[in-house]
Amino acid sequence: MKNPEKRRRCNTLLLSLAAAALCSACATVAPPSPMAEAASLPEFALAQAQLEGLAGGRLYRLDPAASRVHIHVFRAGRAAGLGHNHVLAAPQVRGLLWWPLDAESQAPALRGAGAARFELLLRLDELQLDPPELRAALGPGWASPLSPEAVAATRRNMLGEAGLQAERFPELRIQGLQLIGEAPKLVARWALSLHGRTRQYEVPLQVEMNAQSVRLSGAWVLRQSDFGLTPFSVAGGLLAVQDELLVEFALQGL
């Protein structure tokens, strides 16, 4: 196409069609039906019973009101400027940490990481997409306003058959394998189960602990493709989301 004006109109039309396709893909996915109780919830209850039965340690239970897990989704593609970054929040994370006590002081043993055990569980249908206060706090990359209708449609798309397939795979579960190091600096080795697959991670942790409470914070990169998921894209990748998701957490146990 030699005419610059025709080329510009063609590119504009292509971008408009890609943006329309992106909106259509979000809006045409039917809302998922109410999810059945997850099969792994009884497993989590069993893990809690097992940890409660251990002697010589303190069992901390996660306080959802004082804990946060944020998942950041990044726009990609040649026309990324037409898309949006997203942030998801998990308001009802379930978690357990069993930590050995010092035999003399009965306080948490600072060198007890190797014997500690932990479990974490969140339901995908409880995820909140793009809370306005979170978008505002994240700065210019998340500054573009999103209507409630757009947020609801995007959430349906993320959880639907084209995304996480949350009706069939309703949970993300972390099973602790090992804690390495010495508080306050630890490395957690865990098995993460999502979308019917399990992968192992090693994640640096910052730990603050006393007899009454424990606080753990950190972050890791989760790649959708590691769990058999295809990152969303339209128009041959003109608009897309990146494979890598950034997961940040600060967990309070009592």
Side-chain angles (χ1 to χ4, degrees):
M1 189 180 296
K2 296 182 179 181
N3 189 308
E5 180 61 22
K6 286 185 177 180
R7 185 185 298 114
R8 185 191 65 79
R9 289 200 300 266
C10 181
N11 290 340
T12 300
L13 177 60
L14 182 59
L15 292 175
S16 299
L17 289 174
L22 181 62
C23 293
S24 174
C26 290
T28 56
V29 176
S33 60
M35 300 178 187
E37 190 69 12
S40 58
L41 274 176
E43 296 176 11
F44 187 78
L46 177 60
Q48 177 172 334
Q50 291 172 339
L51 294 180
E52 287 175 339
L54 292 177
R58 165 78 154 84
L59 181 60
Y60 299 90
R61 294 174 177 83
L62 199 67
D63 177 7
S67 302
R68 64 173 177 84
V69 175
H70 295 163
I71 304 171
H72 302 86
V73 184
F74 303 105
R75 58 191 172 186
R78 299 187 301 280
L82 294 176
H84 301 280
N85 296 320
H86 297 285
V87 58
L88 299 102
Q92 293 294 328
V93 184
R94 301 164 178 85
L96 304 166
L97 170 67
W98 184 90
W99 194 276
L101 298 177
D102 181 83
E104 294 184 4
S105 66
Q106 289 300 296
L110 295 182
R111 297 183 180 180
R117 296 176 61 182
F118 60 96
E119 299 273 337
L120 191 72
L121 182 75
L122 66 86
R123 287 182 61 92
L124 300 177
D125 62 333
E126 294 175 343
L127 288 174
Q128 299 172 347
L129 176 67
D130 288 323
E133 65 277 9
L134 287 187
R135 289 186 65 83
L138 286 169
W142 281 261
S144 54
L146 297 176
S147 70
E149 295 77 15
V151 170
T154 302
R155 185 176 183 277
R156 288 197 301 268
N157 186 63
M158 285 184 177
L159 298 181
E161 283 300 304
L164 288 167
Q165 299 177 321
E167 189 167 354
R168 282 188 284 168
F169 306 106
E171 293 179 352
L172 181 154
R173 186 182 184 197
I174 289 174
Q175 296 171 285
L177 303 177
Q178 188 179 12
L179 285 174
I180 303 165
E182 186 172 330
K185 300 294 185 181
L186 299 174
V187 175
R189 180 175 294 137
W190 66 47
L192 189 153
S193 299
L194 175 69
H195 199 248
R197 300 191 182 189
T198 300
R199 297 288 183 267
Q200 290 191 17
Y201 288 84
E202 290 185 349
V203 178
L205 295 180
Q206 176 75 23
V207 180
E208 302 171 29
M209 178 182 295
N210 57 45
Q212 288 73 43
S213 66
V214 61
R215 184 171 178 84
L216 303 97
S217 58
W220 83 95
V221 175
L222 187 156
R223 289 179 174 82
Q224 300 174 68
S225 56
D226 287 346
F227 296 89
L229 297 166
T230 301
F232 184 77
S233 68
V234 295
L238 191 64
L239 283 172
V241 298
Q242 294 184 24
D243 189 17
E244 295 82 6
L245 309 177
L246 174 62
V247 186
E248 296 181 319
F249 60 91
L251 308 175
Q252 180 83 33
L254 301 174

